[in-house]
Amino acid sequence: MSPTAADVLGAGARLAAEAARFTALGWMRGTSGNLSEVVARDPLRLAVTASGLDKGELSAADMAVVGPHGEPVDIDGITPLKPSAEAGLHARVAALTGADAVVHVHTLSAVVAGLHWPGGVRLRDLETLKGIGRRAHDDEVVIPVIANSQDMAELGDRFEAAYDPATPAVIVASHGLYTWGATLLRARHVTECVEWLLAYKIATR
Amino acid sequence: MSPTAADVLGAGARLAAEAARFTALGWMRGTSGNLSEVVARDPLRLAVTASGLDKGELSAADMAVVGPHGEPVDIDGITPLKPSAEAGLHARVAALTGADAVVHVHTLSAVVAGLHWPGGVRLRDLETLKGIGRRAHDDEVVIPVIANSQDMAELGDRFEAAYDPATPAVIVASHGLYTWGATLLRARHVTECVEWLLAYKIATR
Amino acid sequence: MSPTAADVLGAGARLAAEAARFTALGWMRGTSGNLSEVVARDPLRLAVTASGLDKGELSAADMAVVGPHGEPVDIDGITPLKPSAEAGLHARVAALTGADAVVHVHTLSAVVAGLHWPGGVRLRDLETLKGIGRRAHDDEVVIPVIANSQDMAELGDRFEAAYDPATPAVIVASHGLYTWGATLLRARHVTECVEWLLAYKIATR
Amino acid sequence: MSPTAADVLGAGARLAAEAARFTALGWMRGTSGNLSEVVARDPLRLAVTASGLDKGELSAADMAVVGPHGEPVDIDGITPLKPSAEAGLHARVAALTGADAVVHVHTLSAVVAGLHWPGGVRLRDLETLKGIGRRAHDDEVVIPVIANSQDMAELGDRFEAAYDPATPAVIVASHGLYTWGATLLRARHVTECVEWLLAYKIATR
């Protein structure tokens, strides 16, 4: 079923508030990063924060609506906004993982970790791993690191090749971090835990 | 005497505000950590922040009430919430130390320090030691470090074995920090001073 | 055309809010830094944050108005305030670059980077470079570093000699950072991205 | 002339607001540090933040009033509060330097710098030195470092021996930082600039 304007604006209000929170943490500097929520499946529709705006000052209406390939989709009662190129990757992440919320932020830790461990960031025996759905003991976790690209199809292919259903995060080297969750709140918590883990890994290397 | 709903909600309001403060400092990322206040002794009853919620967005009612082994206790007028597994350790800390407030946070400094000094973090000749009840000169202070466990009885045994009545903090390696105080405000101040001391120790090693 | 008091106060309100934002980020410690907006061209007129005031507590009226050489200019209905010595450099940056907003902040990263790379800070293959108008791949970017001076004519000459139209930032060694943009919001975003890039460069050297 | 209750409460309101600001910066962790303003000279009287309270939650009345040796002084209409031991050092700093505001904070940078450079922290050729009343070029600045003591007379003697009228800051090793200024706002700005300078010095050693 097609999403309504109310569905999009409801998601938009949540996404705007969450983006302001991430901005205050310094994780969406400039106009970087974008957040999305699935507003319909079959066909897939996502509300995604619009391109080029300050992520600390979004309103509920500052959202693009896209389909499975990131293409803009018109919704009655919603002024269409241009999606960022990365909206297509959000859609692909949502389709692949089944997650209803996707977070993409430009955290310094993610890019530093991607440089230090281009083959993936290995983590184990840390309580905070429970915060991303893994075990605190005897569980080898690898946050995948994929090479950056401006070609979203290529980047999506790399994402799919690296994707591990047990690990809700992927680092894009020289770029930033993708995380996801069943809800936007869950994606927030995953993002915070991944950031903690990466900061720990960098501080103790 | 059994605590009343008002006792629990009063403690809950204080715990929620304090958790929001620690969250803003970045010390309760994801849904990590928990805070508690003793609401009765004989038998021991604690209000503990509920499991799985964002620690920056708790309300006074988002508290579990537990007994000496972390078991849930029903209170008239309070909707029972599931305590986290760690609630039993909070109760044991309160019983052992006599403290009426226990803080457990996942600070990066604590886990980094636990890795660097698995035998305990030695500190001396620092004015900030006065903030945890020790002397600023000629007083060798060791913050104990214990190994992590998912078995709360085992973790509690390690805590008791490591416990020094003169030092209101214990680091759980690969996990986080426990501190305590006569009041929640005192436990806040102890936590802040321990964090300062650990950051200093790490910065100057 | 000569700017009106309303032009100056409008710019002043934006500059005061932006300065408070930068102050909260710790980038305008003490009374350091200044922000400006062009309020007229032909002849050039800028509103510049006044000298010696706390940059977190400015009002819209705490602005000096200067001409192309940083000389104070009287505007009907505006109480004249003493411009800082650096106002002349702001005017020169606005004239040279065509930017309508200039940011000067004393960020630690800029001064640390200026010490490490006195010949310019080389950056390439980073997504955040797109935030300053460059490409994320195969584009060698150099943030120029110029020597500090108390003589604004000399500092301006160094600025002009180092200026690269493709790079909206210059580091003044032992001093701070200049950035600019078509609008104050754009200058904010450039400043944030440059800060991110410098922090990354320092963290990975 | 003896200060009135209004004088003390006026100073108290300013000191409480300033202490909350420093607390938010993380510079008064636990209950550490104290701020003071001179409320009378001849004889010297200071309002000083009271001992043992959270410095982020003071009210205008949470001030002790002391004389030249830190002894409590009764003021009509003011409930006497116990001054901290350090109040006597505040009074001595105010008498020696002529400053009407004294800041004492426990910043990590100050204690780290005191450890690295026990003979004093040498700084030169930095624009931010202008923020503490020095020159940005060819001016060798030394922030004195004195040994800590619990004996305020001894600490005061060390302060006087190290004091340089051209440098409005002294580091107490293993303890924290003292700064001062003609007004509390000026002392804030000096404190911020000293912190910037120490952070820079540590980051580039």
Side-chain angles (χ1 to χ4, degrees):
Chain A
M1 217 175 71
S2 183
T4 65
D7 293 336
V8 173
L9 290 171
R14 288 188 293 274
L15 292 164
E18 200 64 37
R21 193 177 185 279
F22 282 128
T23 298
L25 290 168
W27 298 353
M28 303 189 87
R29 288 275 158 87
T31 65
S32 72
N34 19 65
L35 310 183
S36 64
E37 266 196 20
V38 170
V39 288
R41 301 249 176 202
D42 279 320
L44 184 65
R45 297 289 180 261
L46 294 93
V48 190
T49 52
S51 187
L53 302 180
D54 192 294
K55 296 304 187 289
E57 300 175 354
L58 297 175
S59 75
D62 291 330
M63 305 292 145
V65 181
V66 301
H69 307 290
E71 73 280 14
V73 172
D74 282 343
I75 304 289
D76 270 359
I78 296 287
T79 307
L81 288 181
K82 187 179 154 5
S84 74
E86 288 165 330
L89 186 51
H90 277 250
R92 203 158 161 184
V93 172
L96 177 70
T97 66
D100 279 346
V102 179
V103 166
H104 169 52
V105 286
H106 287 201
T107 59
L108 198 60
S109 300
V111 185
V112 170
L115 184 76
H116 290 324
W117 301 283
V121 184
R122 272 160 215 286
L123 298 157
R124 61 176 294 142
D125 296 333
L126 288 162
E127 187 76 13
T128 297
L129 288 169
K130 290 165 70 180
I132 63 167
R134 299 298 292 263
R135 295 193 304 281
H137 305 270
D138 305 319
D139 185 12
E140 177 87 2
V141 176
V142 180
I143 312 282
V145 176
I146 61 175
N148 195 23
S149 175
Q150 299 308 302
D151 177 333
M152 286 303 119
E154 184 175 56
L155 197 55
D157 289 348
R158 289 176 187 164
F159 188 99
E160 282 199 25
Y163 170 60
D164 169 2
T167 306
V170 165
I171 291 170
V172 183
S174 308
H175 183 155
L177 177 70
Y178 277 84
T179 60
W180 52 92
T183 64
L184 191 55
L185 185 61
R186 172 66 183 164
R188 174 207 291 178
H189 292 153
V190 167
T191 308
E192 291 192 353
C193 290
V194 170
E195 266 302 292
W196 190 101
L197 290 162
L198 296 177
Y200 174 78
K201 183 84 178 177
I202 293 165
T204 58
R205 91 189 173 104
Chain B
M1 217 174 71
S2 183
T4 65
D7 294 335
V8 172
L9 290 170
R14 288 187 294 274
L15 292 165
E18 199 65 37
R21 192 178 185 279
F22 282 127
T23 297
L25 290 168
W27 298 354
M28 304 188 87
R29 289 274 158 89
T31 66
S32 73
N34 19 66
L35 310 184
S36 65
E37 265 195 21
V38 171
V39 287
R41 301 248 177 203
D42 279 321
L44 184 66
R45 297 288 180 262
L46 294 91
V48 190
T49 52
S51 187
L53 302 181
D54 192 294
K55 297 303 186 290
E57 300 176 354
L58 298 175
S59 74
D62 292 329
M63 305 291 145
V65 181
V66 301
H69 307 289
E71 73 281 12
V73 172
D74 283 342
I75 304 288
D76 271 359
I78 296 288
T79 308
L81 288 181
K82 188 180 155 5
S84 74
E86 289 166 330
L89 186 51
H90 278 250
R92 204 158 162 184
V93 172
L96 178 69
T97 65
D100 279 347
V102 179
V103 166
H104 170 51
V105 285
H106 286 200
T107 59
L108 198 61
S109 300
V111 185
V112 170
L115 183 77
H116 289 325
W117 300 283
V121 184
R122 271 160 216 286
L123 298 157
R124 62 175 295 142
D125 296 334
L126 289 162
E127 187 76 13
T128 297
L129 288 169
K130 291 165 70 179
I132 63 167
R134 299 297 293 264
R135 293 193 306 280
H137 305 269
D138 304 319
D139 184 12
E140 178 87 3
V141 176
V142 180
I143 312 282
V145 176
I146 62 175
N148 195 22
S149 174
Q150 299 307 303
D151 177 333
M152 285 304 120
E154 184 175 55
L155 197 55
D157 289 348
R158 288 176 188 164
F159 188 100
E160 283 199 25
Y163 170 60
D164 169 2
T167 307
V170 165
I171 291 169
V172 183
S174 308
H175 183 157
L177 177 70
Y178 276 85
T179 60
W180 52 92
T183 64
L184 190 55
L185 185 61
R186 172 67 183 163
R188 173 206 292 178
H189 292 153
V190 167
T191 307
E192 291 192 353
C193 289
V194 169
E195 267 302 292
W196 191 101
L197 291 162
L198 296 177
Y200 174 78
K201 183 84 178 177
I202 292 165
T204 58
R205 92 190 173 102
Chain C
M1 215 175 71
S2 184
T4 64
D7 294 335
V8 173
L9 290 170
R14 288 187 295 274
L15 292 165
E18 200 64 38
R21 192 177 184 279
F22 282 127
T23 298
L25 291 168
W27 298 353
M28 303 188 88
R29 288 277 157 87
T31 65
S32 73
N34 19 67
L35 309 183
S36 63
E37 265 195 22
V38 170
V39 288
R41 302 249 176 201
D42 280 320
L44 184 66
R45 297 289 181 260
L46 294 92
V48 190
T49 52
S51 187
L53 302 181
D54 191 294
K55 296 304 186 289
E57 301 175 353
L58 298 175
S59 74
D62 291 330
M63 305 293 145
V65 181
V66 301
H69 307 289
E71 74 280 13
V73 171
D74 282 343
I75 305 289
D76 270 359
I78 296 287
T79 308
L81 287 181
K82 187 180 156 5
S84 74
E86 288 165 331
L89 186 52
H90 278 250
R92 203 158 162 183
V93 172
L96 177 69
T97 66
D100 279 346
V102 180
V103 165
H104 169 52
V105 286
H106 287 201
T107 59
L108 199 60
S109 299
V111 185
V112 170
L115 184 75
H116 289 325
W117 300 284
V121 184
R122 270 161 215 286
L123 298 157
R124 61 175 295 143
D125 296 334
L126 289 162
E127 187 76 12
T128 298
L129 288 169
K130 290 165 71 179
I132 63 167
R134 299 297 293 262
R135 294 193 305 281
H137 305 270
D138 305 318
D139 185 12
E140 178 88 1
V141 177
V142 180
I143 312 282
V145 176
I146 61 176
N148 195 22
S149 174
Q150 300 308 301
D151 177 332
M152 286 303 120
E154 184 174 56
L155 198 55
D157 289 347
R158 288 175 186 164
F159 188 99
E160 283 199 22
Y163 170 60
D164 168 3
T167 307
V170 165
I171 292 170
V172 182
S174 307
H175 184 154
L177 177 70
Y178 276 84
T179 60
W180 51 93
T183 65
L184 191 55
L185 185 61
R186 172 66 183 165
R188 174 207 290 178
H189 292 154
V190 167
T191 307
E192 291 192 353
C193 289
V194 169
E195 266 302 292
W196 190 101
L197 290 162
L198 297 177
Y200 174 78
K201 182 86 178 176
I202 293 165
T204 57
R205 90 190 175 103
Chain D
M1 216 176 70
S2 184
T4 64
D7 293 336
V8 172
L9 290 170
R14 287 186 296 274
L15 292 165
E18 199 64 38
R21 192 177 184 281
F22 282 127
T23 298
L25 290 169
W27 298 354
M28 305 189 86
R29 289 275 159 87
T31 65
S32 72
N34 20 66
L35 309 184
S36 64
E37 265 195 22
V38 171
V39 288
R41 302 249 176 201
D42 282 320
L44 183 66
R45 298 289 180 260
L46 293 93
V48 189
T49 53
S51 188
L53 302 180
D54 192 294
K55 296 304 187 286
E57 300 176 353
L58 298 175
S59 74
D62 291 330
M63 305 291 145
V65 181
V66 302
H69 308 288
E71 73 281 12
V73 173
D74 283 343
I75 304 288
D76 271 359
I78 296 287
T79 307
L81 288 181
K82 187 181 156 3
S84 74
E86 288 165 331
L89 186 52
H90 278 250
R92 205 160 160 183
V93 172
L96 177 68
T97 66
D100 279 346
V102 180
V103 166
H104 170 53
V105 285
H106 286 201
T107 59
L108 199 60
S109 300
V111 186
V112 170
L115 184 76
H116 289 325
W117 300 283
V121 183
R122 271 159 217 287
L123 298 157
R124 62 175 294 142
D125 296 334
L126 288 161
E127 186 76 12
T128 297
L129 288 169
K130 290 164 70 179
I132 63 168
R134 300 297 293 263
R135 293 193 306 281
H137 304 270
D138 304 319
D139 184 13
E140 177 87 1
V141 176
V142 180
I143 311 281
V145 176
I146 62 175
N148 195 22
S149 174
Q150 300 307 302
D151 176 334
M152 286 303 120
E154 184 175 55
L155 198 54
D157 289 348
R158 288 176 187 165
F159 188 100
E160 283 199 23
Y163 170 61
D164 168 3
T167 307
V170 165
I171 291 169
V172 182
S174 308
H175 183 156
L177 177 69
Y178 276 85
T179 60
W180 52 92
T183 65
L184 190 55
L185 185 61
R186 171 67 183 164
R188 173 207 291 179
H189 293 153
V190 167
T191 307
E192 291 192 351
C193 289
V194 169
E195 267 302 292
W196 190 102
L197 291 162
L198 297 177
Y200 174 78
K201 183 85 178 176
I202 292 165
T204 57
R205 92 189 174 102

